[in-house]
Amino acid sequence: MTVSATLAANEAIAARRAAGQEVLALGFGEAGIPVHPLLRQRLVQAAGQISYGPVAGIDAARDAAAGYWTRRAIPTGGEQVLLGPGSKPLLFALLHAAGGDVVLPKPAWVSYAAQSQLLGRDPIRVPVPAGEGGVPDAEAMTAAVREARRAGRDPRIVVVTLPDNPTGRLASEQSVKALCEAARELDLVIAADEIYRDLVFEPGAFPSPAAWAPERTVTTTSLSKNYALGGWRVGAARFPDSPLGERLRESVRGIASELWSSTPMPMQHAAAYAWSDPQELVERVALARRLHGSVATAVAEVFTAAGCEVAPPQGGFYVWPDFGPLRDSLAARWGIATSADLARVLLERFGIVVLPGSAFGDDPESLTVRVAVTGIYGENDSERLAALVSRYPVEMPWIIDALDGLKEKLQALTAPE
């Protein structure tokens, strides 16, 4: 097992900067905004909480998470919630508890496949509906699961992401409903990673699988993306109010007791405050949503102008350009045949850090890359905060410079000799 591609990208960025080399950091999926002072204050106030807490989490944090979901049209009781040191270990424990093989959308976030492999299971990858992301096509999934079972495999769980990392797209309600119907027919648990839920750019109904398959959907979230608190490591899982949900929750709680014992207490107190949706933090998330949407849209336009196919991003802070239309010229000039080749040339020749589509399970010869736009929000907290509160973030001078630099580099990459 190698280091996660996303974390490796962060290390590559740091190494290039330490060596004094130019870098346009578009590889690491960190939210890129300063911590809100009120959250910092809550953490400081709880710093003296050094005892082990309950494995499932303290009541205040679990009840706050339950309220968070209830206000988002997923009625939840605190007894359905289990906390962990980030949503990644919760997901890993859930995959272990569900047992059997794991079905993933293609493409999908890098850690899903890695966690499946850590459990000794190669994931079953199913393409997403055309123009969408994060949810396997229901008909294709049904066929793939039935074929896998005929071959002696044992698919038991499907992982979905809403909105999606890496594509930045939000699956349609139609696709999610079809996925839920297929999962029920196939008796699959649905693991719904909704860590980017609060960062959907346009208001409207959110297609959570918990609405249409409540008896079999486990939903996860954290503070890493909406509040940019990735390093604080606190997440929550909501289990169904059903016999299946109770069995899974108790199994995950048992696994948690042996893996992480309890979520760090100071983080739980900060999370209890954040998940209560105080107005000051609701306003902060709204600013973050505007920043991410504005810059992601502008970055997508730069790649489109360079000749790539790019579906407009709908949430989070990612863009998924496809250099397929430029394949012949890229092969002739740079010897690019795979997404790994493309990412290497972008880094070595132009100082642009992106991740190849193959890291997310896309076909190696597909010339897709994932672009994380938060790397251009600013060089320090002062610039990032200014971008956050600006009504027009893409008019910040340093963001303009970064967009212009990206445009020039892509022109140099794609221009004929």
Side-chain angles (χ1 to χ4, degrees), residues 7 20 70 97 103 146 204-205 235 245 295 364 377 410 415:
L7 296 176
T70 298
V103 180
R146 288 176 174 166
V295 177
Y377 290 175
L410 290 178

Side-chain angles (χ1 to χ4, degrees), residues 55-56 82 93 239 248-258 261:
V55 174
L82 195 150
F239 291 83
L248 287 172
R249 183 181 178 278
E250 283 308 297
S251 180
V252 170
R253 191 167 74 97
I255 294 167
S257 72
E258 302 296 351
S261 299

Side-chain angles (χ1 to χ4, degrees), residues 65-356:
Y68 168 90
W69 274 303
T70 298
R71 287 187 295 277
R72 287 155 180 79
I74 306 178
T76 306
E79 72 283 354
Q80 295 173 250
V81 176
L82 195 150
L83 268 60
S87 56
K88 284 175 72 171
L90 286 167
L91 175 62
F92 181 73
L94 175 61
L95 296 182
H96 190 287
D101 292 300
V102 181
V103 180
L104 298 180
K106 178 183 178 182
W109 180 47
V110 297
S111 290
Y112 299 149
Q115 289 189 357
S116 176
Q117 290 161 350
L118 281 169
L119 293 169
R121 314 164 194 161
D122 285 329
I124 299 168
R125 297 184 185 271
V126 179
V128 300
E132 298 189 27
V135 173
D137 178 84
E139 289 188 9
M141 183 181 76
T142 298
V145 167
R146 288 176 174 166
E147 176 60 29
R149 287 174 175 165
R150 283 193 293 269
R153 300 186 67 179
D154 185 22
R156 296 189 192 179
I157 186 167
V158 55
V159 182
V160 302
T161 320
L162 299 146
D164 183 40
N165 172 9
T167 66
R169 299 287 290 172
L170 178 64
S172 67
E173 180 177 306
Q174 178 181 356
S175 293
V176 175
K177 284 182 176 179
L179 179 283
C180 291
E181 292 172 2
R184 184 174 289 115
E185 179 182 347
L186 298 166
D187 195 22
L188 297 177
V189 174
I190 301 172
D193 182 349
E194 298 181 4
I195 195 171
Y196 298 94
R197 174 175 183 147
D198 292 345
L199 300 180
V200 175
F201 304 149
E202 296 296 330
F206 184 85
S208 176
W212 296 293
E215 81 286 357
R216 65 185 57 251
T217 299
V218 179
T219 307
T220 61
T221 192
S222 84
L223 305 183
S224 296
K225 309 305 178 181
N226 54 354
Y227 289 114
L229 299 176
W232 284 21
R233 310 312 304 148
V234 57
R238 176 200 181 273
F239 291 83
D241 183 17
S242 67
L244 172 63
E246 292 173 7
R247 290 197 303 271
L248 287 172
R249 183 181 178 278
E250 283 308 297
S251 180
V252 170
R253 191 167 74 97
I255 294 167
S257 72
E258 302 296 351
L259 287 182
W260 62 79
S261 299
S262 63
T263 305
M265 289 292 282
M267 309 310 177
Q268 292 196 55
H269 286 279
Y273 174 63
W275 281 323
S276 68
D277 286 330
Q279 185 59 34
E280 296 89 347
L281 297 190
V282 170
E283 293 171 358
R284 169 59 70 96
V285 172
L287 293 175
R289 188 163 49 242
R290 181 176 66 191
L291 172 62
H292 299 318
S294 175
V295 177
T297 299
V299 169
E301 290 171 352
V302 171
F303 278 95
T304 299
C308 300
E309 293 181 351
V310 188
Q314 297 172 293
F317 31 80
Y318 304 111
V319 177
W320 182 251
D322 184 352
F323 285 74
L326 305 167
R327 179 181 299 277
D328 291 344
S329 62
L330 293 175
R333 185 172 183 190
W334 304 102
I336 293 172
T338 66
S339 60
D341 293 338
L342 177 57
R344 175 181 50 78
V345 170
L346 285 170
L347 174 61
E348 295 178 355
R349 297 298 188 101
F350 301 99
I352 300 175
V353 181
V354 296
L355 295 183

